[in-house]
Amino acid sequence: MSCNWGTELWDQFDNLEKHTSWGIDFLERYTKFVKERADIELSYAKQIRSLSKKYHPKRSREDESRYTWCLSFAATLQQLNELAVQREELAENLNSQIACELTRYTQELKTERKTHFQDGRRAQQHIESSWKQLESSKRRFERDCKEAERAQHVSDRIDLDSKTDGEKRCSLKARQTAQQKQQAAEESRKDYVTSLNQFNQDQHQHYHTLVPVIYQRIQDMEERRIERIGEAMRSSAEAERKVLPVVRRCLDAMMDAAESIQPRKDTRQVVEVYKSGFDPPGDVEFEDYSATMRRSISESSYLDNRTEGRRHSRKLWPFLRKNKLLTLLSSPRQPPPPPPTSPSPGGVVNSPQSPPPASREPIAQRLNDLMTSGSRTRKQCLRSLKRGLSLKLGSSPADCSHLPPEQRRKKLQSRINSMNQEIQREREQRDALLKMREVYERSPQMGDASSLEPRLEEVKQNLMRLEEELRRNQVWLSDADSRLCDHSSSRQNNSTATTPGSSSLKHLDNRSPASRESPDGSYTEDHSAELHFKSRSSEFDDDFDDEEPLPSIGTCKSLYPFQGQNEGTLSMVEGELLSVVEEDKGDGWTRVRRNLEEEGYVPTSYIKVFLDSSAKGFVHSSRLV
């Protein structure tokens, strides 16, 4: 059904003006809506990117590349970044293609609307002027007619009453006046007729020509505005539809990442990572206390003759750990690394190979303080002792003998695989140099063959070094494999030949080294070390295992970067803020904490310490070493 504002709304000029003004206001409001939606999309993308960055691993950890759930989460975070990119692209399209275009179109629409309604007002003013002129001529004609009628009535009355000459002259004058009035009325009539015809023409032209044209233009303008709003809405939906395939691919990738999680594989990986290869401990042997005579203690017994009536500790492995630590009492003490000459990361002097920290006092003195201290301060002394010994253990041997058998075998096997790859690369480089030398010898104009000799000699030296290291690691690997075989065979023999509770206490002396190995990888074959330590072992065994985290006594700021590759140390970057949990005890090292899981020692000269005033008194009163 067609409609025409010029014919159907000819008398609604003011309402049309209000309606079109409201339409432009609506267009401006929709433009504002698009802009605000674009801002929301940008804010959402920023928050998604910030969330992905927050939960993305700060450092490359081997564990996160080993387990499927970590790889799946990393892939999810990567897809979230891609989603953020798509949201930013959507916001850019909303701003540039829709909001900016609507703003420009709104200004054009306001100008066009102003022009159309100015034309309508001029036409309205013209018809009103014509109507006023018509009304003026009509009133003048009416007035002249009434005056002519009165003059004629006066003239007729004088004619009837005139008898004398004077009266006759008055009658003649009245007739002349009546004639003049009639002539004026006739002229007014002609002007009125002319004005009436002119007004009718103007009115017909106004309502049948001018108004329809002007209102049609206003109607076309309104239809274009409505159509432009529809196009903007379609463009907005189309802009979002364009990013949906990428969003769908991101969601599919997230689903694939979730489907790639393999619990059984991860649990097997935990076994591969932490399996030590040690044998479980054997049965606890029966000790007969019914005999009245004092039984003799074998050399390998866990009991002390001074603790005969004392309850045995339920944990055997800490004894062996402490005996292993006692063998390190004679190891040389090394100071912490000096601060670098430049605070830049490249100016760290020997920080990756920093010597392990050690206390200035002998560890035996710390051990004596441990035995004579109270139960509360014993834990802090144990931490200090554990700190010094763990840092002395930082320099691991080349044959990986400090690792448990299974972990040692895996470490050596990984090292051998890496060396084989390096050897293969060096051989390929050697073959390429030999071929190039042959080409130079056949065609001297292409290059000097003697210039390749230094590089060729360097490659040969590298090959010899790598092959020698490969042979040495292969020997260590075969030794680790043989020990694993011996352990498994001895365990089978013990399980078939030994009855629980039937062997005497002196059988402990003939047990293999593997039977004394602890689950954490520390074991010893030195019986004298066990005898030296067994008198004090049961007194603080529970305190050694039940270690609680130390409270923070202040903060510190790193002045230089430090790469703590030894056990017990903590790596840090320049300008990092850490919590101080233990002051420097004179050995040049300070114990700090990054979070609940990362704690270690850093050189005191590398940091600036800010201690809490309330914690200083407690630290000085509880210091043992």
Side-chain angles (χ1 to χ4, degrees), residues 426-442:
E426 293 292 337
R427 286 176 178 173
E428 292 176 356
Q429 190 172 4
R430 181 194 60 185
D431 296 341
L433 290 173
L434 290 175
K435 290 181 180 179
M436 189 178 297
R437 187 177 65 178
E438 292 178 0
V439 172
Y440 287 172
E441 289 176 351
R442 289 196 302 267

Side-chain angles (χ1 to χ4, degrees), residues 44-56 73 77 80-81:
Y44 174 72
K46 182 179 179 180
Q47 293 178 9
I48 287 292
R49 192 183 298 277
S50 177
L51 180 68
S52 176
K53 183 179 180 181
K54 176 181 178 181
Y55 285 93
H56 198 274
F73 184 60
L77 294 178
L80 277 181
N81 275 330

Side-chain angles (χ1 to χ4, degrees), residues 352-357 390-391 393-396 563-570:
Q353 297 82 18
S354 59
S390 64
L391 294 181
L393 286 171
S395 56
S396 57
Q563 298 292 332
Q565 296 183 351
N566 297 326
E567 183 180 359
T569 59
L570 181 68

Side-chain angles (χ1 to χ4, degrees), residues 432-618:
L433 290 173
L434 290 175
K435 290 181 180 179
M436 189 178 297
R437 187 177 65 178
E438 292 178 0
V439 172
Y440 287 172
E441 289 176 351
R442 289 196 302 267
S443 303
Q445 68 274 9
M446 297 185 65
D448 186 9
S450 60
S451 62
L452 301 176
E453 292 298 330
R455 179 57 182 161
L456 189 59
E457 185 63 25
E458 181 182 355
V459 172
K460 290 181 180 179
Q461 293 294 334
N462 291 338
L463 270 176
M464 293 175 60
R465 177 181 55 81
L466 290 173
E467 290 173 352
E468 180 62 27
E469 291 181 3
L470 179 62
R471 285 192 295 268
R472 187 163 61 250
N473 281 274
Q474 286 174 346
V475 171
W476 293 337
L477 180 62
S478 62
D479 178 66
D481 291 337
S482 63
R483 289 195 178 189
L484 282 175
C485 294
D486 293 342
H487 292 171
S488 60
S489 61
S490 63
R491 181 174 57 184
Q492 293 176 358
N493 294 334
N494 291 335
S495 62
T496 56
T498 304
T499 302
S502 63
S503 59
S504 62
L505 193 61
K506 65 181 181 179
H507 288 166
L508 289 172
D509 195 17
N510 297 326
R511 290 168 67 183
S512 63
S515 65
R516 294 195 297 276
E517 292 167 350
S518 64
D520 63 347
S522 56
Y523 62 95
T524 179
E525 298 180 5
D526 190 358
H527 306 292
S528 60
E530 295 177 12
L531 295 176
H532 283 301
F533 199 80
K534 62 186 179 181
S535 61
R536 300 290 185 180
S537 59
S538 61
E539 295 182 7
F540 61 93
D541 182 54
D542 293 336
D543 291 338
F544 191 86
D545 291 329
D546 300 335
E547 181 176 335
E548 299 177 357
L550 284 173
S552 175
I553 62 174
T555 58
C556 68
K557 180 179 181 181
S558 60
L559 303 176
Y560 314 101
F562 174 71
Q563 298 292 332
Q565 296 183 351
N566 297 326
E567 183 180 359
T569 59
L570 181 68
S571 299
M572 61 182 181
V573 297
E574 182 181 351
E576 185 176 4
L577 294 178
L578 303 170
S579 298
V580 177
V581 296
E582 186 177 338
E583 280 188 290
D584 185 3
K585 299 184 180 301
D587 55 3
W589 296 86
T590 301
R591 186 175 183 180
V592 298
R593 180 189 296 135
R594 178 177 288 112
N595 48 47
L596 294 179
E597 298 180 356
E598 296 185 76
E599 183 176 322
Y601 288 86
V602 297
T604 305
S605 59
Y606 278 54
I607 61 175
K608 183 177 182 180
V609 181
F610 307 95
L611 292 179
D612 295 338
S613 58
S614 59
K616 290 182 179 179
F618 172 77

Side-chain angles (χ1 to χ4, degrees), residues 121-288:
R121 289 190 184 90
R122 282 195 295 268
Q124 191 72 22
Q125 291 174 358
H126 178 72
I127 193 66
E128 290 177 357
S129 175
S130 180
W131 170 257
K132 289 179 181 179
Q133 186 176 0
L134 174 63
E135 287 293 324
S136 177
S137 61
K138 179 179 177 182
R139 286 192 298 271
R140 187 171 58 254
F141 172 63
E142 182 181 5
R143 185 182 66 251
D144 292 344
C145 288
K146 289 180 179 180
E147 291 179 355
E149 185 177 0
R150 284 196 301 270
Q152 185 65 36
H153 180 71
V154 171
S155 176
D156 293 341
R157 188 178 58 187
I158 293 174
D159 289 339
L160 292 176
D161 297 336
S162 60
K163 294 180 179 180
T164 61
D165 295 336
E167 292 178 349
K168 291 181 179 178
R169 287 194 294 271
C170 291
S171 174
L172 180 62
K173 185 177 180 181
R175 281 198 298 271
Q176 291 177 353
T177 303
Q179 290 177 358
Q180 292 178 356
K181 295 293 183 181
Q182 288 178 356
Q183 291 178 358
E186 186 65 23
E187 291 178 356
S188 298
R189 179 179 177 280
K190 291 180 181 178
D191 292 340
Y192 171 64
V193 171
T194 303
S195 298
L196 179 62
N197 292 332
Q198 184 64 37
F199 174 77
N200 288 333
Q201 292 178 0
D202 292 343
Q203 182 175 253
H204 185 275
Q205 184 179 7
H206 176 79
Y207 290 110
H208 293 82
T209 304
L210 294 179
V211 169
V213 171
I214 295 174
Y215 283 15
Q216 184 64 38
R217 292 174 183 174
I218 296 175
Q219 182 179 357
D220 294 341
M221 177 193 69
E222 184 69 10
E223 290 176 355
R224 288 197 307 271
R225 180 190 66 82
I226 298 173
E227 184 179 2
R228 194 60 175 267
I229 292 177
E231 291 178 358
M233 291 181 179
R234 286 193 298 270
S235 300
S236 177
E238 185 65 26
E240 189 164 4
R241 181 182 292 179
K242 287 181 180 179
V243 303
L244 286 181
V246 182
V247 173
R248 189 178 296 108
R249 286 198 298 270
C250 294
L251 296 177
D252 293 340
M254 292 182 185
M255 292 293 296
D256 295 340
E259 295 293 336
S260 65
I261 297 178
Q262 303 177 18
R264 186 58 59 87
K265 180 181 178 181
D266 290 335
T267 53
R268 287 199 304 266
Q269 189 65 31
V270 174
V271 175
E272 293 292 328
V273 173
Y274 297 109
K275 182 178 179 182
S276 64
F278 290 130
D279 296 331
D283 297 332
V284 178
E285 298 175 357
F286 175 74
E287 298 177 6
D288 190 4

